[in-house]
Amino acid sequence: MSDAPKAVFLSYARDDAAAARRIAEALRASGLEVWFDENELRGGDTWDAKIRQQIDACALFIPVISSHTQERGKGYFRLEWKLAVEQTHLMAEGMAFLAPVVVDDTREAGAVVPPEFMKVQWTRLPGALPTPQFVEQVKRLLEPAAAKSSPPAGWSPASGRAEQNPTATNPPGGRVPPESRKSARGRTWGAMTAVVIGVAVALGVFRKAEPAPAPAPVVPPTAPAPAASREPSVAVLAFANLSDDKGNEYFSDGISEELLNVLAKVPGLKVSARTSAFYFKGKNVPVPDIARQLGVAYVVEGSVQRSGDRVKITAQLIKAVDGFHLWSETYTRDMKDIFALQDEIAGRIAASLSDKLGVTVPTLAKTTPEAYTLYLQARATLAKRGVENLRESVKQFEAVVALDPDYLPARSGLARSLSLIPAWSRTISLGANQEGLDRATAGARLVIEREPDNAEAWSALGYIVGLYDWRWREAGEAVARSLALAPNDAEIVNFAGDYYRYILDPQKMLETEKRAVELNPLQAVNHLDVAFAYLALGQYELALAPARTCISLAPELQDSYEALVRAYGNLRRFAEMRAAITAVRQVKDADPAVIQNMEILAAILEGRTSDALQLQEAFRPHVEQGGYSPTEYGYHFLLLGQPEKAVYWLKLGVQGHDAIMVDPAVVDLGVIAADPVTRSVLDDPGLKELLEARANAQPRPKK
């Protein structure tokens, strides 16, 4: 261990070594110096002197608290704790030094720790899975300001207590008051194009084109947040709903999202995606901090107040580097005039700010106020994902189409919703969703016929004909077209990354999935797809960080725990693999079938063949009832050395075009091809075309 300044000292009981290692890895990945002694035997005067010296020299002391520390009344870690407390007696009041971390459900009340630990904020990391917020908090504590009179935002100098850490627990004695600065978050739709032009002009994206700076780097879970960008880039925050009816929040959200969508179509302008921009909804985070985390130079915020047929919209553009308001406007109009208002405001702003620039902004499709209101509801429901939400969004989009059959955004949204239901429900096989997929395909083709430049329709079509129909060449053409039309749309880029994963194109797969993270860093699924990309390539160590980030952003998303199980299992880090399964059991409304499948996978990876076969037999009803992938079930039999049982289920998966069959992160087609009993499964025309596409996607050796 080095004696570099600004080091973090990790103190832990020996039973918590795996948990401490994960924390150390996360902090080190962000460039921090961590003193974490796991390889040396404890004992001896030399070793004892070294530990004392490091505790004296470190900048931050993190004691790992758990049931193991509770159970052990005596241990070397308790001496480390005592030495750290003594250090605080030598420090100026307000210096941040102690930062306890709890890795299980140990409660503060009754915790066997020094009294000084109870005076500071504790951070909870369930399963010892470090979150980006935790890493960022540690980095802030190590900044010079944390050791002097100017602590980081949200840190109480009197006690070293964090106010805004979302993973922290409240200290005894009550909640620290939130910071006083508040800013409006909201939406509106009448002023849409006006706001768009104002933003575009202020950002200078309509000037003569110059070489654009390189995009902000992908932010891994433990990397520092990117600095606010100086390139033409903007985030549209969720407009505040100031209506008396709080149920109108979907309307204010929808207005913000529509503004975001229009800006995303402006050439040369980087726009932060919805999920990342809306992450700060309801949180008192300063605009410069938001911009830094999203990697943008400007932020749009505002409010919407709707009363009957009247709507009042306020929008303002803020320069991130100094918080300066470049412009602010308020508009009040009738809902029935919402589209006319859009054109009016666009003209006014263009005339006042850009009369010499010749600004042209894409216009939104128009419909009736009633249809538009319902459309915003459908979009909000679709964004939530999950099977039930997707089915509800289908009903809502269908209602919009019934009101206005010519409103193409509703038809492309309907196609997207229908295409996602099979994947989210894991009931792709046996034609369970064929009717919905046929409707989705027809809907996407109809939109493309009427509006050839509709990127969402091309993206939905590529997703369907690839993942479900196994027509890979056609899918590739649709995906390429969607990317050409909307290269800065995070969702479209993410779906393209999925396609490149299926055809195992290493370069394009990683480029697109990482680009999706760059465009939408706070969308959990984007990080998950990066993890699965690395799993597909067999780069298990690299899959860990994005999987952990996904968990920190969306703890309820079970697939992220599966990614950890696969990565840790293949790395033979079985204790951490088990910790991931334990953590997923704590997820509210967790699907028991998903957890059972993880248990089967864990038993296979650990080499517990007998246990795995018993678990397989118990799992069979889930598959027979169409509730789980027959391909994965059969593949597990193959890994367990029972190809005769495997072949039936694998053929069933091929028959139903089970998407798991074509996901290289889950199924290695080479393993199926290597066994003479299962080899015939690959005679399916769609799989032959896929294998050809994979062969063509592999890097060619240099001559």
Side-chain angles (χ1 to χ4, degrees):
M1 300 180 189
S2 69
D3 293 323
K6 297 302 178 187
V8 176
F9 188 99
L10 269 180
S11 175
Y12 62 97
R14 61 172 175 265
D15 294 325
D16 292 323
R21 185 187 306 111
R22 285 195 291 275
I23 295 172
E25 288 174 351
L27 296 176
R28 286 169 176 166
S30 70
L32 297 181
E33 176 78 9
V34 181
W35 289 337
F36 166 60
D37 187 16
E38 60 175 329
N39 296 318
E40 301 178 31
L41 294 175
R42 298 193 173 202
D45 292 341
T46 301
W47 182 86
D48 183 78
K50 176 182 179 181
I51 294 299
R52 291 173 181 269
Q53 179 183 11
Q54 289 178 343
I55 293 176
D56 178 69
C58 72
L60 194 67
F61 183 89
I62 299 181
V64 177
I65 299 170
S66 71
S67 59
H68 297 130
T69 59
Q70 288 290 93
E71 294 166 357
R72 295 182 59 191
K74 183 179 180 181
Y76 196 90
F77 67 89
R78 292 202 177 276
L79 175 59
E80 294 173 349
W81 292 4
K82 181 179 179 180
L83 293 172
V85 168
E86 291 176 355
Q87 286 296 313
T88 65
H89 299 162
L90 303 174
M91 296 178 178
E93 186 70 20
M95 285 190 66
F97 182 68
L98 300 175
V101 170
V102 191
V103 295
D104 55 20
D105 58 358
T106 298
R107 301 179 64 84
E108 293 176 49
V112 186
V113 298
E116 287 78 3
F117 285 16
M118 305 300 291
K119 298 177 183 179
V120 297
Q121 188 82 5
W122 290 22
T123 298
R124 292 192 175 274
L125 298 178
L129 298 174
T131 65
Q133 296 93 332
F134 166 72
V135 175
E136 186 63 23
Q137 175 190 343
V138 172
K139 291 178 70 68
R140 288 183 178 181
L141 292 179
L142 293 174
E143 293 174 354
K148 299 178 182 178
S149 59
S150 301
W155 194 265
S156 169
S159 61
R161 182 174 298 152
E163 296 178 355
Q164 299 297 328
N165 177 16
T167 62
T169 58
N170 295 318
R175 184 184 301 272
V176 180
E179 55 184 306
S180 58
R181 181 186 182 280
K182 296 184 179 181
S183 58
R185 304 280 186 265
R187 303 175 198 211
T188 194
W189 152 231
M192 192 70 58
T193 302
V195 175
V196 172
I197 296 180
V199 172
V201 171
L203 301 184
V205 298
F206 293 107
R207 297 188 180 125
K208 185 176 180 180
E210 298 178 359
V218 177
V219 185
T222 54
S229 172
R230 295 184 180 276
E231 65 177 322
S233 53
V234 65
V236 182
L237 305 184
F239 280 23
N241 174 32
L242 302 184
S243 305
D244 293 335
D245 181 3
K246 298 309 176 185
N248 275 333
E249 189 161 333
Y250 73 87
F251 185 80
S252 59
D253 283 354
I255 293 301
S256 305
E257 185 173 5
E258 289 299 286
L259 172 57
L260 183 156
N261 290 338
V262 174
L263 287 171
K265 297 177 182 178
V266 175
L269 177 61
K270 173 189 171 185
V271 182
S272 182
R274 179 190 192 276
T275 308
S276 292
F278 281 31
Y279 177 84
F280 301 95
K281 183 178 178 179
K283 300 177 182 178
N284 294 319
V285 182
V287 166
D289 289 350
I290 293 174
R292 183 173 62 253
Q293 292 191 50
L294 298 181
V296 297
Y298 299 87
V299 169
V300 175
E301 63 176 6
S303 63
V304 177
Q305 185 172 6
R306 183 178 178 183
S307 179
D309 293 332
R310 300 282 287 179
V311 60
K312 180 180 180 180
I313 297 169
T314 298
Q316 51 195 8
L317 179 66
I318 303 170
K319 190 176 181 181
V321 67
D322 54 14
F324 180 74
H325 285 58
L326 297 181
W327 58 260
S328 178
E329 292 286 349
T330 299
Y331 310 92
T332 302
R333 296 290 189 277
D334 289 334
M335 271 294 296
K336 65 180 180 180
D337 299 326
I338 196 75
F339 296 103
L341 172 61
Q342 169 186 316
D343 296 336
E344 175 189 342
I345 296 175
R348 288 171 58 185
I349 293 183
S352 60
L353 298 180
S354 59
D355 56 337
K356 296 181 180 180
L357 295 178
V359 174
T360 300
V361 174
T363 59
L364 292 171
K366 298 176 175 58
T367 187
T368 66
E370 181 183 3
Y372 182 68
T373 299
L374 188 55
Y375 170 76
L376 295 183
Q377 288 180 321
R379 277 288 169 190
T381 306
L382 170 60
K384 296 175 184 177
R385 295 298 197 263
V387 177
E388 294 307 316
N389 288 325
L390 290 170
R391 288 173 177 162
E392 181 61 25
S393 70
V394 167
K395 296 177 183 177
Q396 293 169 332
F397 280 125
E398 288 175 337
V400 179
V401 172
L403 289 171
D404 186 354
D406 296 324
Y407 189 51
L408 297 184
R411 289 189 178 275
S412 62
L414 176 59
R416 176 70 83 197
S417 294
L418 288 168
S419 72
L420 289 174
I421 289 175
W424 280 85
S425 64
R426 293 205 180 202
T427 56
I428 298 165
S429 298
L430 309 176
N433 296 277
Q434 193 57 51
E435 180 184 355
L437 291 174
D438 289 343
R439 291 176 57 206
T441 304
R445 292 191 186 282
L446 175 63
V447 174
I448 291 171
E449 180 182 338
R450 297 184 182 180
E451 188 181 323
D453 291 341
N454 189 302
E456 183 178 46
W458 279 109
S459 177
L461 182 64
Y463 188 74
I464 296 166
V465 299
L467 187 61
Y468 303 130
D469 295 344
W470 294 1
R471 301 202 304 271
W472 301 101
R473 282 185 290 275
E474 182 180 352
E477 293 170 358
V479 166
R481 183 67 183 276
S482 70
L483 279 176
L485 291 169
N488 292 324
D489 185 308
E491 183 169 90
I492 285 172
V493 172
N494 174 254
F495 277 108
D498 292 344
Y499 167 78
Y500 292 125
R501 182 171 92 236
Y502 300 140
I503 68 167
L504 258 181
D505 186 318
Q507 181 176 351
K508 290 184 178 179
M509 168 174 54
L510 290 174
E511 283 180 355
T512 50
E513 298 293 20
K514 289 182 177 181
R515 174 63 174 164
V517 169
E518 177 186 309
L519 292 168
N520 198 356
L522 299 180
Q523 169 69 288
V525 173
N526 291 348
H527 294 276
L528 178 61
D529 284 338
V530 173
F532 271 91
Y534 282 124
L535 289 175
L537 295 174
Q539 298 179 19
Y540 303 114
E541 191 73 43
L542 294 176
L544 295 173
R548 292 181 191 135
T549 299
C550 181
I551 291 173
S552 70
L553 293 172
E556 73 283 356
L557 193 57
Q558 291 174 267
D559 286 359
S560 53
Y561 300 91
E562 178 184 327
L564 286 182
V565 169
R566 293 183 182 278
Y568 281 132
N570 280 285
L571 291 169
R572 303 191 64 77
R573 290 162 59 173
F574 296 133
E576 291 158 295
M577 177 186 72
R578 281 283 158 199
I581 296 177
T582 299
V584 76
R585 292 185 185 280
Q586 309 305 315
V587 173
K588 184 180 179 181
D589 299 326
D591 185 346
V594 174
I595 298 175
Q596 285 180 257
N597 190 63
M598 288 188 205
E599 289 284 5
I600 296 171
L601 178 61
I604 293 172
L605 291 169
E606 289 176 319
R608 296 185 290 110
T609 302
S610 179
D611 291 345
L613 288 172
Q614 290 181 16
L615 291 169
Q616 279 277 96
E617 189 61 33
F619 193 66
R620 179 170 178 157
H622 288 292
V623 185
E624 290 179 329
Q625 295 164 14
Y628 217 83
S629 164
T631 294
E632 189 169 5
Y633 187 66
Y635 188 65
H636 285 165
F637 274 125
L638 185 57
L639 295 178
L640 291 166
Q642 298 200 359
E644 294 79 9
K645 287 187 177 181
V647 69
Y648 169 79
W649 298 103
L650 292 174
K651 287 184 176 180
L652 205 59
V654 171
Q655 176 186 329
H657 279 200
D658 185 350
I660 296 298
M661 179 67 77
V662 299
D663 190 343
V666 180
V667 173
D668 184 347
L669 295 183
V671 174
I672 296 176
D675 194 291
V677 177
T678 58
R679 189 175 300 152
S680 61
V681 169
L682 303 182
D683 290 338
D684 176 83
L687 291 180
K688 286 185 175 180
E689 186 177 329
L690 175 62
L691 290 171
E692 180 182 347
R694 288 183 178 182
N696 292 333
Q698 298 310 303
R700 302 297 183 193
K702 295 181 179 180
K703 295 182 179 180

